[in-house]
């Protein structure tokens, strides 16, 4: 592992400090490319305008006409947290804006697979809908959209995934990544796209005189859902996404949040008044995702839609239980996947080991709902693009393997799959995704071919530097900043993918170390001459007396006293 301190542009630091930004925050923001305080303005007025999102205006006209004509609308969602929050935003938002008949349908991960398929389109038509609206899916659903159109449905696709070579023939497409779209936030989540469609719809309804600026519905009530879905989907937190998340967090901390989100905070043992992006990514998001992985995402969506606190609490506790089951399944799968991955190692003549440039593993006992999480764990462990496959549980698809992949910087996973498909026609039955996460389906007998083909692409694209795990840090932290109040200040800021949480690094002295729960290393360290506690979760190997550590700051409470502690992220050379 290599620990690298980020470049900190002194002029940017100075400009931010002169504008009144705290010196520590000025340093952190400057290292992340922030040039001036105006970029930190998270006001709603600073959001990118909806009319710059291609298709949003046409979608607004289509939806306004549907509301005027009292048409029946059906949302087709995805079965992850982004899809669930996007569905809840669509249902709540459309009703706020006057739609009287809004239903939703979410595919079953095992039976239906991903996206708007022809059978899903048939079910929507059979349910009596006049218009089908996709959220967080649809840009690759050429056949599904065609089936819906053949049944006489109007189709609005809202998505953020990368399009394939052919776009679906929907009435309107809204996707910042479609050809010809100039929307600056290409990394907006699916829930953000739907929120923007609602902003455009409200503007269209104002133009039609349905209401004016004073009487129009307040769509900011949807921002807690937008924030949750944005962080949980691990999209890049560019300036626009950070504003959406900051606005959602502000409302949650003030107590203006849906009953379901409040109940999820409670079920996770978290406190909404001090909500952070960490809560979204590691507490609430996984509980909603668990429904789509092991049960029915309808549970997650209903939790986000209900305004009944008692019902929300019941659903949140149910989701918490499903998430515990998911963790149990994941633990067993992770151990087996690690064994399979380690079997791919080559032992050289000097007794050392080399890891293939990409890892693909399959076991007949793996659960397809958890392969993505396990792939992420293996990717973190070995710092290699990783795919984990499970046998499909869909009727008639027993010979198919469904894989989920996670990648490392420098390796665009969807592009890699595209190259595998071109080099080996017929190996990939289906594939799609992003740079850092993707999914695919292969025939069971084609798995060895896929494994070799992906490793070959990785060998060609990745060099030794790319294959060495690297932690980018903010360098040393001054002793004067080792204060609980500053830790709280850091936690209140919006951090995440592409806007990394503060991580510091420097040499420390190890005073003592011991294992906690047989899998975590508890440390007593000396930092700049002063003692501080540290914890390295999931690490059991002892450290030398002096070591360069990468760490985040946390506040630990013991006997009513809060103290700063280090959350260890890595050690130089480890």
């Amino acid at each position: 592992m290599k620990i690298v301190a980020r470049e900190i542009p002194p002029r940017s630091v100075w400009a931010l400090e002169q504008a009144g930004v705290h010196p520590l925050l000025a340093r952190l923001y400057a290292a992340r490319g922030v040039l001036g305080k105006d970029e930190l303005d998270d006001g709603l007025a600073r959001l990118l305008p909806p009319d710059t999102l291609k298709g949003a205006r046409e979608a607004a006209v289509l939806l306004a006409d549907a509301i005027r004509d009292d048409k029946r609308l059906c949302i087709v969602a995805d079965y992850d947290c982004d899809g669930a929050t996007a569905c809840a935003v669509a249902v709540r938002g459309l009703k706020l804006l006057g739609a009287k008949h809004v239903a939703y349908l979410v595919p079953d991960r095992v039976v239906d697979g991903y996206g708007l398929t022809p059978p899903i389109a048939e079910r929507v038509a059979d349910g009596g809908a006049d218009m089908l609206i996709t959220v967080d899916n649809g840009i690759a659903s050429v056949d599904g959209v065609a089936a819906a159109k053949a049944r006489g449905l109007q189709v609005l696709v809202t998505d953020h995934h990368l399009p394939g070579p052919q776009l679906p023939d929907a009435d309107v497409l809204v996707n910042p990544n479609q050809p010809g779209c100039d929307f600056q936030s290409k990394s907006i989540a699916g829930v953000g796209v739907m929120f923007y469609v609602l902003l455009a719809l409200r503007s269209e309804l104002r133009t039609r005189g349905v209401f004016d600026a004073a009487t129009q519905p307040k769509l900011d009530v949807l921002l807690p859902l937008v924030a949750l879905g944005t962080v949980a989907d691990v999209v890049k937190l560019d300036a626009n996404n950070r504003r959406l998340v900051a606005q959602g967090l502000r409302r949650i901390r003030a107590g203006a949040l849906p009953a379901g989100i409040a109940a999820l905070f409670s079920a996770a043992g978290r406190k909404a008044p001090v909500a952070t992006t960490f809560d979204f990514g590691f507490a609430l998001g996984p509980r909603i995702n668990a429904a789509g992985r092991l049960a029915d995402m309808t549970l997650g969506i209903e939790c986000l839609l209900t305004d009944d606190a008692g019902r929300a609490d019941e659903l949140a506790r149910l989701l918490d239980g499903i998430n515990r089951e998911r963790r149990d399944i994941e633990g067993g799968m992770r151990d087996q996947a690690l064994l399979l991955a380690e079997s791919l190692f080559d032992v050289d003549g000097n007794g050392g080991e080399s890891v293939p440039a990409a890892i693909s593993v399959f076991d007949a006992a793996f659960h397809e709902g958890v392969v993505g999480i396990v792939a992420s764990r293996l990717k973190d462990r070995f710092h290699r693009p990783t795919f984990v496959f499970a046998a499909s549980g869909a009727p008639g698809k027993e010979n198919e393997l469904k894989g989920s992949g996670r990648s490392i910087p420098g390796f665009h996973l969807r592009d890699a799959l595209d190259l595998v498909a071109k080099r080996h026609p017929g190996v990939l039955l289906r594939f799609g995704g992003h740079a850092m996460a993707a999914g695919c389906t292969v025939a069971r007998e084609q798995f060895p071919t896929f494994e070799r083909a992906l490793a070959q692409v990785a060998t060609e694209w990745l060099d030794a530097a790319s294959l060495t795990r690297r932690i980018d840090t903010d360098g040393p932290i001054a002793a004067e900043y080792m204060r609980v109040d500053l830790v709280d200040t850091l936690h209140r800021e919006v951090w995440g993918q592409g806007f990394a949480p503060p991580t510091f690094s420097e040499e420390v002295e190890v005073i003592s170390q011991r294992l906690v729960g047989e899998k975590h290393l508890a440390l007593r360290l000396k930092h700049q001459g002063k003692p501080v506690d540290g914890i390295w979760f999931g690490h059991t190997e002892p450290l030398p007396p002096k070591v360069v550590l990468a760490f985040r700051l946390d506040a630990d409470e013991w006997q009513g006293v809060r103290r700063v502690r280090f959350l260890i992220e890595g050690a130089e050379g480890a």
Side-chain angles (χ1 to χ4, degrees):
M1 176 185 294
K2 188 175 182 181
I3 295 176
V4 181
R6 296 182 178 90
E7 292 285 337
I8 303 176
R11 288 189 178 182
S12 299
V13 176
W14 182 85
L16 290 167
E17 287 184 4
Q18 291 300 303
V21 177
H22 186 283
L24 177 58
L25 285 173
R27 172 182 149 196
L28 297 172
Y29 286 140
R32 286 153 182 77
V34 175
L35 301 177
K37 190 176 181 181
D38 61 314
E39 295 180 43
L40 303 175
D41 183 353
D42 59 16
L44 288 174
R46 292 298 304 275
L47 286 175
L48 295 172
D51 59 9
T52 61
L53 179 59
K54 183 179 179 181
R57 186 174 298 172
E58 292 80 1
V61 171
L62 189 72
L63 289 169
D65 288 347
I67 292 172
R68 178 199 63 201
D69 298 338
D70 206 22
K71 289 186 175 180
R72 306 182 70 85
L73 314 178
C74 183
I75 317 298
V76 174
D78 186 20
Y79 40 65
D80 67 357
C81 187
D82 186 19
T85 51
C87 183
V89 163
V91 172
R92 286 180 173 275
L94 288 168
K95 287 182 176 179
L96 277 173
L97 294 170
K100 295 184 177 63
H101 309 289
V102 187
Y104 72 88
L105 188 155
V106 58
D108 182 283
R109 180 188 292 266
V110 174
V111 177
D112 300 308
Y114 173 77
L116 174 61
T117 60
I120 291 290
E122 295 291 341
R123 282 159 59 185
V124 172
D126 291 344
D130 302 303
M131 181 186 296
L132 186 157
I133 305 165
T134 71
V135 291
D136 192 32
N137 76 94
I139 196 64
S141 301
V142 175
D143 293 341
V145 170
K149 297 287 288 181
R151 289 292 303 272
L153 292 170
Q154 291 182 299
V155 180
L156 165 61
V157 168
T158 76
D159 199 356
H160 70 128
H161 294 93
L162 298 175
Q166 180 182 354
L167 294 176
D169 187 25
D171 290 271
V172 179
L173 291 175
V174 187
N175 183 329
N177 291 301
Q178 66 177 306
C181 183
D182 297 325
F183 192 67
Q184 292 178 12
S185 181
K186 298 298 183 183
S187 56
I188 191 170
V191 65
V193 174
M194 189 62 222
F195 181 70
Y196 263 80
V197 168
L198 293 172
L199 290 176
L201 172 58
R202 186 175 65 176
S203 176
E204 173 66 20
L205 292 173
R206 279 200 311 269
T207 300
R208 297 185 182 197
V210 176
F211 37 65
D212 57 28
T215 60
Q216 67 181 5
K218 303 290 187 184
L219 295 181
D220 62 352
V221 297
L222 304 173
L223 285 166
L225 292 164
V226 176
L228 170 57
T230 298
V231 174
D233 210 43
V234 202
V235 295
K236 179 183 177 183
L237 291 187
D238 58 22
N240 204 64
N241 280 339
R242 291 203 311 277
R243 290 183 181 112
L244 290 170
V245 173
Q247 287 288 334
L249 278 173
R250 184 172 300 165
R251 283 158 179 77
I252 288 172
R253 291 168 183 163
L257 69 168
I261 290 184
L264 286 166
F265 268 98
S266 178
R270 307 281 177 147
K271 298 177 181 178
V274 290
T276 67
T277 51
F278 186 90
D279 294 325
F280 289 157
F282 295 94
L284 275 66
R287 283 165 171 79
I288 294 174
N289 278 328
R293 296 186 189 281
L294 301 185
D296 181 356
M297 184 47 92
T298 301
L299 296 172
I301 296 172
E302 283 300 308
C303 184
L304 299 175
L305 284 176
T306 185
D307 293 318
D308 183 306
R311 176 63 174 156
D313 183 63
E314 177 187 348
L315 289 167
R317 283 188 281 109
L318 183 58
L319 291 170
D320 184 62
I322 296 170
N323 191 52
R324 292 176 192 276
E325 180 186 356
R326 185 271 305 168
R327 284 201 295 256
D328 290 340
I329 294 172
E330 178 199 335
M333 280 180 59
R334 183 180 62 246
D335 293 343
Q336 177 62 13
L338 284 169
L339 290 174
L340 291 169
E342 287 168 354
S343 72
L344 302 173
F345 292 12
D346 291 325
V347 180
D348 62 33
N350 298 319
E353 293 177 331
S354 63
V355 187
I359 294 171
S360 301
V361 296
F362 159 69
D363 189 283
F366 283 174
H367 191 296
E368 64 181 280
V370 189
V371 288
I373 300 175
V374 177
S376 181
R377 301 290 188 259
L378 264 62
K379 181 266 297 182
D380 291 342
R381 174 73 174 268
F382 299 111
H383 194 69
R384 295 292 189 274
T386 301
F387 262 91
V388 177
F389 285 84
S392 174
K397 301 289 182 69
E398 293 79 3
N399 193 46
E400 292 185 1
L401 303 183
K402 297 174 73 172
S404 186
R406 298 295 183 269
S407 196
I408 61 175
F411 192 78
H412 194 297
L413 209 53
R414 187 193 174 280
D415 286 355
L417 291 177
D418 189 51
L419 183 54
V420 169
K422 288 182 171 65
R423 288 179 173 177
H424 304 273
V427 167
L428 286 172
L429 302 177
R430 292 175 292 279
F431 71 90
H434 300 289
M436 303 303 286
C440 67
T441 302
V442 303
R444 188 183 293 243
E445 64 272 13
Q446 294 284 6
F447 172 73
T449 303
F450 172 84
E451 181 182 9
R452 290 191 299 270
L454 184 70
Q456 179 61 37
V457 174
T459 299
E460 296 168 9
W461 288 6
L462 296 169
D463 57 18
S466 301
L467 293 171
T468 300
R469 188 181 176 211
R470 164 178 167 153
I471 296 183
D472 291 310
T473 77
D474 298 289
I477 181 168
E480 64 191 275
Y481 296 146
M482 295 281 289
R483 307 198 315 263
V484 168
D485 64 312
L486 273 179
V487 173
D488 292 340
T489 296
L490 293 180
H491 285 182
R492 281 194 295 269
E493 300 301 308
V494 174
W495 314 104
Q497 184 71 23
F499 204 78
T503 304
F504 305 96
S505 61
E506 55 192 298
E507 185 177 74
V508 298
E509 182 181 341
V510 180
I511 301 172
S512 66
Q513 50 190 315
R514 61 188 175 85
L515 285 180
V516 178
E518 298 185 354
K519 57 183 179 180
H520 311 303
L521 191 62
L523 300 160
R524 185 68 171 166
L525 307 168
K526 186 173 285 186
H527 169 262
Q528 298 183 17
K530 295 183 179 180
V532 61
D533 288 332
I535 183 79
W536 193 344
F537 291 113
H539 185 88
T540 58
E541 296 297 317
L543 295 175
K546 287 190 175 181
V547 62
V548 176
L549 294 178
F551 55 89
R552 292 185 291 114
L553 297 183
D554 189 32
D556 187 33
E557 186 168 332
W558 175 252
Q559 295 182 340
V561 178
R562 298 179 73 223
R563 299 171 299 180
V564 175
R565 74 167 175 175
F566 291 173
L567 300 180
I568 312 302
E569 295 287 306
E572 186 79 68

